[in-house]
């Protein structure tokens, strides 16, 4: 097989030569925007489930809503703070919050839902400590026990949908953190 024309190194390109791959059209700012939309979409879906279909949230559901809101805020900070430090700080915040969400969704499914009550758990203490349940009761007030809130959507437990979204958000945060800085 015969080559046609000189190879890039043969015509004077060195280590500083531009890459021949097209530039990424989906930079960190767009990743952060997508993360914020997914997180706020999850809260919107939860609110629609609650207010349109009567699926009342338990304390762990409300805690996951709060984590999704925190992820959205961290992602919006990442879209606004364009420096490398901003990408790293916001990416780390999104990753830590997503890991907390994974833990809370797993805890809800494997420990809280099988029990008869989830009163006075860590989720209750966090929600009551922040006070959002009294400031925004339609969004952040727990109104059901964990056993009552254990419902399925398309045959999959609702908390697994939340868990899956948290995993996707954690993977997106890892993608942002692993990206090389733009020069």
């Amino acid at each position: 097989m015969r080559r046609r024309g000189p190879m890039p190194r043969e015509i004077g390109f060195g280590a500083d030569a531009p890459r021949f791959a097209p530039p990424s059209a989906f930079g960190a700012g767009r990743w952060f925007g997508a993360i914020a939309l997914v997180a706020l979409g999850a809260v919107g879906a939860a609110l629609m489930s609650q207010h349109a279909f009567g699926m009342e949230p338990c304390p762990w559901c409300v805690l996951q809503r709060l984590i999704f809101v925190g992820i959205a805020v961290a992602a919006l900070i990442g879209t606004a703070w364009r420096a490398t430090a901003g990408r790293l700080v916001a990416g780390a915040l999104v990753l830590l919050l997503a890991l907390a969400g994974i833990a809370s969704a797993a805890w809800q499914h494997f420990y809280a839902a099988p029990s008869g009550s989830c009163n006075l758990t860590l989720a209750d203490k966090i929600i009551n400590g922040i006070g959002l349940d009294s400031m925004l009761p339609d969004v952040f007030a727990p109104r059901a026990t964990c056993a009552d809130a254990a419902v399925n959507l398309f045959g999959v437990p609702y908390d697994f949908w939340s868990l899956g979204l948290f995993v996707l958000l954690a993977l997106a945060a890892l993608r942002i953190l692993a990206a090389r800085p733009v020069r």
Side-chain angles (χ1 to χ4, degrees):
M1 182 170 206
R2 215 174 132 208
R3 275 189 340 194
R4 294 183 185 164
M7 295 301 291
R9 293 211 183 269
E10 295 170 354
I11 57 172
F13 286 101
D16 297 329
R19 303 259 183 237
F20 287 99
S24 174
F26 209 68
R30 291 187 183 181
W31 276 102
F32 281 127
I35 287 170
L37 285 175
V38 168
L40 293 175
V43 174
L47 290 173
M48 187 178 77
S49 297
Q50 175 184 348
H51 296 292
F53 303 116
M55 295 170 55
E56 298 295 336
C58 71
W60 288 99
C61 300
V62 171
L63 180 62
Q64 289 168 48
R65 288 180 189 182
L66 184 60
I67 293 170
F68 277 124
V69 169
I71 288 172
V73 168
L76 291 174
I77 289 170
T79 59
W81 191 2
R82 298 280 182 171
T84 301
R87 178 179 59 85
L88 295 175
V89 168
L93 279 173
V94 168
L95 179 61
L96 290 173
L97 287 167
L99 292 174
I102 290 168
S104 69
W107 183 268
Q108 177 185 1
H109 181 78
F110 293 111
Y111 295 104
S115 71
S117 172
C118 52
N119 290 338
L120 302 175
T121 62
L122 177 63
D124 263 332
K125 292 176 184 177
I126 291 171
I127 294 164
N128 290 334
I130 293 173
L132 285 176
D133 57 336
S134 59
M135 287 187 280
L136 295 168
D138 287 341
V139 179
F140 294 112
R143 299 170 191 251
T145 66
C146 292
D148 293 337
V151 295
N152 291 341
L153 178 65
F154 303 118
V156 177
Y158 217 71
D159 39 13
F160 276 1
W161 287 103
S162 180
L163 179 91
L165 281 177
F166 283 125
V167 167
L168 288 175
L169 294 172
L171 291 173
L174 286 172
R175 161 64 176 84
I176 291 169
L177 291 170
R180 292 187 314 178
V182 177
R183 295 178 198 215

